[in-house]
Amino acid sequence: GEQQGALRWLPLVLAYTGARIGEIAQLRRDDVRFATPEEASKGGEAGGSVAEPKRRKGVYFLRLTGEGEGQTLKNRASRREVPLHPEIVEAGFLDFATAVAAGQYL
């Protein structure tokens, strides 16, 4: 059958983001975010959590921080927002992420 969970998404997200494996492996559902075009153009801490899988015009991204319990980053400069490539969105990553309970690891 088709691979699910980390076996499917971890390699794809790594390939499309260039992030470190530890940064992606520690992501929680709440780290998958959305920003409208207006919010995205402002930069900084924008957007809301992807609480529902409906598609809206804007940018989906991963918020890489060391804020959550068990989350760490290599250094302060590693804190960033990484846009999700449209291919990952099209492949169903948002459906996977929204199926995970809030606060849980992806």
Side-chain angles (χ1 to χ4, degrees), residues 4-56:
Q4 297 299 313
L7 292 177
R8 177 172 187 210
W9 295 111
L10 188 58
L12 285 173
V13 172
L14 288 170
Y16 278 97
T17 63
R20 294 177 186 90
I21 191 168
E23 293 172 330
I24 300 303
Q26 71 181 359
L27 288 175
R28 297 175 191 264
R29 185 182 98 162
D30 303 336
D31 296 321
V32 180
R33 312 289 284 182
F34 173 81
T36 65
E38 296 77 27
E39 291 169 332
S41 69
K42 291 178 189 172
E45 192 80 19
S49 178
V50 178
E52 69 248 2
K54 75 176 185 178
R55 306 297 180 256
R56 299 179 283 175

